[in-house]
Structures are given as C-alpha cells and as structure tokens.
Amino acid sequence: MGNIEIHLDEENLRYVISGDISSILTNRRLLFSFRRLHYALKEDLLSVPFEDGRKIDVLGEINELFEKFGIKESMSDETQKSVDSYHREQKNFDVFSQKARKIRNNEFKDNPELVSDFDHFQSVVKRELTRKLYPLQLLSAYHMAFAQNACNFAVPGAGKTSIVYGAYAYLKNLPKEDPKHVDKLMVISPLSAFAPWENEYEECFGKKAQVQRLSGDSSISRSHKEQHLYSGNPCEITLIFHGGVDGLQHEIVDFLKKHKTMLVVDEAHRIKNPEGVWGKSVINIAKEAKSKVVLTGTPVPNGYEDLYNLYQFIYPFKFKDILKFHYGNLVDMTKNSEPDSERVKKFTANISPYFIRIKKSDLKLPPVKETIIHVEMGKEQRKIYDFIETKYIKSFQKSNSATIKDILNKAKLIRLRQASTNPSLLMKPIKETLESDDFDGRTFSGNKMPDEFQDDSEILSKISLYMKSETPSKFSSILDLLKEKIKQNEKILVWTIFVQNAKQFKDLLSKQGINSELLIGETGQVERENIIKKFNDPLNTEFRVVIANPFAVAESISLHKGCHNAVYMERDYNCSNFLQSKDRIHRVGLPADQETNYYYILSEDSIDEVIDRQLHIKVERMEKIIDEDIPLFSRIDDSDETDLIKALLDNYAKRTQ
C-alpha cells in the first residue's frame, strides 16, 4: 500500500488527499463512509470540503476513518502547522475560559492580573457612565467585556441594558488598535425595546444617543436602511427587530465587516429555534461581529435545547466544543433529566464560563404589599354567573377526564372569567376579547353569542342588557381605589386580560373626569412610547392611570419610575405572564424605602377565588425555578389548566353543599 498524504487547501475550504488513492477507491466500505463527508474525485485527487469553523473537526473525521480501515496517512507541512495552531488556540481558549469562569463566580481575588484589570474596568465605567451600577451589575458588565462573547440571563428588572452599556463603554474606550475595541452597537430586539434602549443610553451616558431604527416605522424606506448600513460614518447605535434581520442579512454582514460592532440580541429566547428564519438569519450575521451578547431572562422556556442557538450565536465556530452535547441530546435531557441530574450538572458546568445569571433573590428589591379585595357581584351579574357556572360544572362532571386539551373546556373557563368580571363580554366571540394568540376562535363557529346560551331567552336578555342595568362591581371597586390613590398624587396601572374591559373601563373613568390611557395591542408604537414616557415621569400629571393588557405589555417595558401601584381586574392562569406583569413596576432602581402595591380584585364565590389560590401555588413553584442557574420553565405548563377545572369542581361542591 502506497503513501496517503492530506493537504490543506485553505482558500477553497477543503482537504485534498493524494498518493495511493486506489487503496480508498477499492475499499467499498471506506468509500461508503467517505460519502457522508461529501467527497469529490478529480484527476486522482480526493477532495473533502469543510465549512468555515469546521476545519479541525473534518480532519479528525478523516483521520478516524483511515485509522479504522488500517490506512496510514501523513499530513503536509501546511496541514500540520494548522493543526498545531489549532491546539495552541484551544489551549489559550481553555485558559481564557477558566478566567471567565472565575469572574462569573466572583472568585478571582487570588489572581492579581484579573484584580488589576477589574479595578481598571471599574474606573473607566465610573468615569464614562453617569449612572451608578450596583456591584452585581458591575461584575456582570466586567464578565461581558472580558469575554466579549457572553450571555446574560438576569431576571427581568435586573438592569440588563445598563450592564451592556457598562461593558460597551469600557470596550469603546480601549485603544483603537486593541483587538477588543468596539465603537458601534447594533441591537436586535422586540420593537417595544427600542425606546428603552434609547432612554437608557441617555440615563447611562448623560446625553442622547445617535440612533438609527431599521424597523417599526413604515416611513423608513429600504434605500434609507441601506444608506445607513453602507454609510462610512453611521449612527453609533442601530436598532432592528428580530424579524427584520433576514431581509437585510447581506447588508448587515457588510456593516459588521466595516465597523467594530458589539452585536446584542435582546429577548434572545425568540431565536431559540435552530430551524426558524429568525434564528438562522441572526446566526448568519454573528460571525462578523467584534463582540456578541445575548440577553434573556428566560433562557430555556421550553427546554435545554433552547440554548443551542444562543451559544451558536456567541461562538459560531466553537459552540459544539463548548456545549459538548448535540441538539438531540439536549432535547432528550429536557424530557428525561431532573434539574439536579448529573447530565444537567455537566451541561451547566460546560456553558457556565460564558453566562452570568442575576437571580431575583440577588436584586434585594424593596418590599411589596399584596392586597386581596373581595367584591360582591351585583344582582344581575350574580344571576348570569350562577347560570353559566352551573351549566359548565355539570358538563365538567359528566366528563370523567375534563381536561384543558378539549378546546371547549378552555373556552368555558374563559367565559367564566368574563362573567366574573363583566358579563357584557359574553356578547362577543372569545377571539375578539383576547389579545393572546393561543386561542383560535373556532369554538363558537363565529356566533356572537355562545351556542350553549341560545336556548335560554331569559339569560340572553340579561346578558345583552347587562351594561344598561348595572355597572360591574369590579369597575366600581377599582374606581373607588383609583380615586383614593389619585388624591394621594399617585399613579396606578390597571391590568385586564380582556381588551373590551380596558375600553369600557376607560370610558367609565372618562365620565368620572379621570384621564387614562390604554396600552393594548392596537396601541401604535409611537403612541405607546409617548404614553410610557409620560407615565414614567413623576412630574407629568396629564394622566395618572394606564389600563394595560399583559399580552401587549410584556417584554422590555419598565413602568417603575412613575408608578408603584398595580391593580388586577382579573387574572388568567398563566403564571409567566402574571410574574412578568408584576416586574413592570418592581425593578432595579427603586429607592430602598419604596413600597410597591399590588391589588387583586376578586368576585366572591367565583372562579376568581379558585384562580387566586391555584396561581399562588404555581407562583411559589415558579419562583423556586427562577432562582436556579438554568431555570427550566417548561416544568410548569402554563397552557394546561386541567388542575384548575378540578379545583373549580371542588370549590363549587363546597359552596353549594
């Protein structure tokens, strides 16, 4: 058997195998194995391609095949140099990772080099930022600046934007010839985060940012976007929506090649799907960024596999070496591993140098006060609610396995929530009353009035005339509370699940001479930003009440600067949405003595009281999960309300004994 030599063709991203090629071609099993390497044969030369970043991996596969089939090979000098260089890089990366882990764990006091570096980092940040970062924010910002490519999994309200600006300020102040230097920031985020990024820049640096938005405004033409991305002197900050990256992918890549840019993906759990368009387009541009940052308070909402894309983004060429688990392994780990299993511990240890998580318990936020206000239903509402509840309870009892998987059961629970708050909502199809996209509206075949009420003319009449006969008791109770708070010069945030409730309650307030604004799905982007800005300004008294929907006001919105009171007209059984809504006014930046008040309005002897008890149990479980390093939120299924049906049956039995 003759010699086989492997040559590296770096320019064409391939290996060329020369010499005794016949020993490969005549070995059918070996040749079959080479098929998965997508080999090509031309002029007695065998070529094996490799993707950018997979050079050493493919070479390792070639070597394994030759060893398996007893073929001795040698490497050209150029190939051997490349392998040696890779091993040196790997050794340096291991040392770097150990340092990053020490910083992440705040265990670097025994390393004089890191201590000195951190001291210098703090002095630069304190000089450049007008906002003071608290110790955990400083540590997180230092970890981000040191690693350059990092994930921050801090809980909502921890100040992730300020952390990024701290790291950015330091990297921007490095000498231009320093390989870590950056001078531009590109943020990929939800549209709702654009204004917070702009406002926080002014809070952090004491001046307005030079910003170009590439999404959220139809007046920004394609040519205008390209003009910015190809400009020799573009704005310092570029903001773009997750879904807008795909259409500008090539232009963004050119921008990143020309400018030393920190690329930030905010609310990064939105790109978790490795097969999704958003995820793929964001991954494709990542290779050209000088620094890459991932921000999300919910890193694994569905499973450990959600981290696959996030790490592929921050380390496109090394993420598999870092994870040491394939995507399928992570899916299996979600299904079959407990959070404290050895596999999860090993996986967490593998990725830990490259992420920091600030937990809720780390924030040391000022106290909250939660008040439950029980409200007696009006006479007409009571009749309507009792009729509907009795009808639905009987249908639940007839079924031996009443589960939420039956869309009719889900619809019935929604109808009960509507009846417990405002029976006039029953006049509309469910889909029109909700802003959530998890209900498809098929249940009642488009009828305005639910089919199950059609055979009872008396109840139909009561529902259709309800708003003319009485005001919902919850409306009256909340109105009294608002008047009291307004007398004390305070602002109030009113949460409601149902859009029609928001509109009707706003009309009621207007008749009482109380100005209010809506933050719901149909509130336009510009109007939304103006409302939030005014509401957050303690000196602005144009309106003191905002009525909001949790599906429309979820991520990236802070309302804590001007408001410390939240009133819940009703709640659904979604724990994640509930906790996120609470975080809107309870965040980092509050004075130590500032009390935050939550008021829960419950209709007596109704589904409200059942939801309150069951949600409390869910919240306790969720808060324990939140304080884990890698919180697996799928351990609480917010889409399954089966236990709510069981609790409702028990509650009804006790009330009607």
Side-chain angles (χ1 to χ4, degrees):
M1 186 180 291
N3 291 329
I4 292 285
E5 189 170 52
I6 305 172
H7 303 266
L8 171 65
D9 182 0
E10 191 97 54
E11 183 178 349
N12 294 304
L13 296 178
R14 65 177 183 169
Y15 288 105
V16 177
I17 302 172
S18 62
D20 185 14
I21 298 298
S22 62
S23 62
I24 300 175
L25 301 179
T26 56
N27 189 325
R28 294 178 62 185
R29 289 176 59 209
L30 174 57
L31 195 62
F32 182 79
S33 297
F34 257 94
R35 284 183 183 177
R36 63 185 173 83
L37 295 177
H38 308 291
Y39 76 89
L41 181 65
K42 187 176 182 181
E43 298 177 357
D44 293 330
L45 295 175
L46 197 72
S47 65
V48 178
F50 57 83
E51 295 178 356
D52 201 5
R54 288 264 300 151
K55 178 171 63 178
I56 299 300
D57 292 339
V58 172
L59 179 60
E61 291 183 52
I62 295 172
N63 289 335
E64 283 180 14
L65 286 176
F66 285 156
E67 183 178 354
K68 179 179 178 180
F69 289 93
I71 295 177
K72 292 185 178 181
E73 85 284 4
S74 61
M75 289 185 283
S76 67
D77 290 343
E78 185 180 0
T79 306
Q80 189 61 55
K81 285 179 182 177
S82 180
V83 171
D84 293 342
S85 173
Y86 168 79
H87 288 309
R88 283 194 300 273
E89 284 181 23
Q90 192 62 38
K91 186 176 180 179
N92 291 337
F93 188 74
D94 289 342
V95 172
F96 156 80
S97 298
Q98 290 170 15
K99 289 181 178 179
R101 190 194 302 275
K102 280 180 171 284
I103 295 170
R104 181 237 192 217
N105 295 333
N106 200 10
E107 296 172 347
F108 57 92
K109 292 179 181 177
D110 60 343
N111 188 316
E113 179 189 353
L114 289 179
V115 170
S116 175
D117 192 44
F118 184 44
D119 288 342
H120 177 61
F121 172 85
Q122 290 184 86
S123 66
V124 171
V125 170
K126 288 176 181 177
R127 183 185 72 229
E128 295 297 319
L129 265 60
T130 55
R131 166 177 282 173
K132 182 180 179 180
L133 301 186
Y134 66 84
L136 261 179
Q137 286 180 321
L138 273 172
L139 181 70
S140 299
Y142 176 52
H143 175 266
M144 191 178 289
F146 175 84
Q148 272 191 288
N149 306 308
C151 301
N152 189 292
F153 298 152
V155 296
K160 290 190 284 290
T161 308
S162 296
I163 291 169
V164 171
Y165 280 138
Y168 172 71
Y170 176 78
L171 294 175
K172 187 178 181 182
N173 273 270
L174 292 172
K176 290 188 177 180
E177 61 274 13
D178 191 299
K180 284 188 171 185
H181 173 80
V182 299
D183 51 27
K184 294 287 183 284
L185 184 70
M186 178 176 284
V187 180
I188 302 168
S189 74
L191 295 176
S192 59
F194 284 10
W197 275 98
E198 294 167 357
N199 297 336
E200 291 297 304
Y201 184 97
E202 188 171 356
E203 292 278 346
C204 286
F205 293 97
K207 59 182 179 181
K208 287 188 178 295
Q210 292 182 321
V211 179
Q212 176 62 59
R213 296 186 180 191
L214 299 184
S215 306
D217 186 346
S218 58
S219 67
I220 304 175
S221 65
R222 170 87 188 192
S223 60
H224 189 79
K225 295 174 185 178
E226 291 177 353
Q227 183 180 352
H228 165 73
L229 292 170
Y230 286 121
S231 169
N233 186 28
C235 294
E236 182 181 5
I237 297 178
T238 303
L239 300 174
I240 184 168
F241 172 56
H242 295 102
V245 175
D246 184 54
L248 291 167
Q249 193 173 137
H250 297 299
E251 291 82 358
I252 293 173
V253 167
D254 288 341
F255 177 92
L256 296 175
K257 284 180 178 178
K258 287 190 297 183
H259 304 285
K260 297 179 178 180
T261 306
M262 173 184 275
L263 180 62
V264 178
V265 181
D266 196 1
E267 305 295 354
H269 50 275
R270 293 191 175 200
I271 66 160
K272 62 183 182 296
N273 182 4
E275 299 303 320
V277 174
W278 291 9
K280 282 183 177 179
S281 58
V282 172
I283 297 300
N284 288 338
I285 67 171
K287 298 169 185 176
E288 302 300 336
K290 198 73 174 173
S291 168
K292 295 174 282 290
V293 173
V294 158
L295 303 178
T296 174
T298 53
V300 287
N302 299 311
Y304 298 108
E305 62 271 21
D306 291 343
L307 289 168
Y308 192 87
N309 249 15
L310 304 191
Y311 272 77
Q312 189 176 0
F313 170 77
I314 63 170
Y315 281 111
F317 305 124
K318 290 182 178 291
F319 76 101
K320 290 183 179 178
D321 294 333
I322 291 171
L323 297 177
K324 296 183 174 64
F325 284 84
H326 295 296
Y327 186 81
N329 299 145
L330 300 178
V331 172
D332 181 70
M333 195 162 70
T334 298
K335 292 179 180 178
N336 302 308
S337 290
E338 290 298 318
D340 57 352
S341 72
E342 288 305 313
R343 279 204 299 177
V344 174
K345 288 178 181 177
K346 183 178 180 181
F347 176 64
T348 303
N350 293 345
I351 66 174
S352 63
Y354 322 102
F355 83 85
I356 270 189
R357 178 164 177 80
I358 299 177
K359 303 172 185 177
K360 191 78 174 180
S361 56
D362 295 326
L363 299 181
K364 311 297 185 207
L365 296 176
V368 300
K369 183 179 179 182
E370 299 183 273
T371 303
I372 294 176
I373 299 176
H374 294 273
V375 175
E376 183 180 356
M377 293 186 198
K379 182 180 177 181
E380 294 302 309
Q381 182 180 9
R382 184 81 259 173
K383 288 178 181 177
I384 294 169
Y385 181 86
D386 287 348
F387 174 88
I388 296 172
E389 184 182 48
T390 301
K391 200 172 186 70
Y392 288 169
I393 289 294
K394 287 179 180 178
S395 72
F396 292 150
Q397 289 171 336
K398 286 179 183 178
S399 172
N400 293 326
S401 57
T403 71
I404 203 65
K405 293 178 182 177
D406 183 342
I407 193 170
L408 281 172
N409 288 336
K410 184 172 185 176
K412 288 170 184 175
L413 292 177
I414 293 172
R415 288 303 192 193
L416 280 174
R417 287 198 284 268
Q418 291 177 327
S420 71
T421 297
N422 176 9
S424 71
L425 300 177
L426 299 169
M427 290 291 294
K428 289 182 173 290
I430 289 177
K431 189 172 177 65
E432 289 185 18
T433 67
L434 289 173
E435 298 220 306
S436 168
D437 58 4
D438 62 357
F439 189 84
D440 62 10
R442 291 175 297 173
T443 308
F444 299 117
S445 306
N447 293 323
K448 282 193 173 183
M449 185 64 66
D451 289 340
E452 63 267 40
F453 303 156
Q454 295 287 352
D455 60 351
D456 195 298
S457 58
E458 182 182 354
I459 204 69
L460 284 175
S461 177
K462 288 183 182 297
I463 293 172
S464 62
L465 297 174
Y466 176 73
M467 288 305 283
K468 294 180 180 179
S469 60
E470 67 181 28
T471 300
S473 297
K474 284 190 178 183
F475 281 22
S476 300
S477 177
I478 296 173
L479 177 60
D480 291 341
L481 178 60
L482 297 189
K483 287 179 177 178
E484 180 184 332
K485 292 293 182 182
I486 290 171
K487 281 182 183 178
Q488 299 168 7
N489 295 320
E490 296 187 41
K491 294 184 178 182
I492 311 95
L493 177 62
V494 179
W495 291 104
T496 176
I497 301 296
F498 302 108
V499 180
Q500 196 62 29
N501 266 351
K503 294 177 179 179
Q504 289 183 7
F505 189 62
K506 178 177 170 59
D507 289 342
L508 175 66
L509 294 184
S510 180
K511 291 174 183 176
Q512 294 288 322
I514 298 174
N515 292 332
S516 64
E517 294 291 347
L518 297 180
L519 285 179
I520 57 178
E522 61 193 62
T523 308
Q525 184 67 18
V526 174
E527 184 184 4
R528 176 186 299 259
E529 291 177 8
N530 286 334
I531 290 170
I532 292 170
K533 184 177 181 180
K534 290 177 180 178
F535 196 58
N536 266 328
D537 182 356
L539 300 179
N540 190 304
T541 57
E542 186 178 324
F543 57 92
R544 293 188 180 275
V545 179
V546 162
I547 308 166
N549 182 282
F551 301 110
V553 186
E555 302 167 332
S556 309
I557 291 178
S558 302
L559 300 169
H560 65 295
K561 294 175 183 176
C563 176
H564 312 296
N565 303 288
V567 180
Y568 289 79
M569 188 177 293
E570 74 279 305
R571 290 171 290 170
D572 63 10
Y573 197 44
N574 189 301
C575 185
S576 298
N577 287 340
F578 173 55
L579 290 178
Q580 276 204 339
S581 70
K582 292 180 72 175
D583 288 336
R584 296 311 102 202
I585 63 169
H586 195 233
R587 307 170 75 83
V588 165
L590 290 170
D593 60 348
Q594 177 61 62
E595 183 177 83
T596 299
N597 294 293
Y598 300 108
Y599 299 91
Y600 309 120
I601 314 300
L602 310 182
S603 288
E604 292 178 347
D605 296 331
S606 77
I607 191 174
D608 286 351
E609 296 176 334
V610 180
I611 288 176
D612 181 66
R613 282 192 294 272
Q614 295 300 117
L615 195 57
H616 181 72
I617 296 170
K618 231 180 186 184
V619 166
E620 285 187 336
R621 289 176 56 208
M622 181 70 87
E623 286 179 340
K624 290 179 182 177
I625 292 172
I626 288 173
D627 261 9
E628 295 171 359
D629 276 345
I630 302 293
L632 184 57
F633 293 104
S634 62
R635 284 156 55 199
I636 291 183
D637 187 356
D638 265 333
S639 65
D640 190 350
E641 296 180 338
T642 302
D643 57 339
L644 186 59
I645 294 177
K646 295 175 182 176
L648 184 65
L649 288 170
D650 291 342
N651 176 267
Y652 183 81
K654 291 176 183 177
R655 285 193 282 116
T656 57
Q657 278 180 351

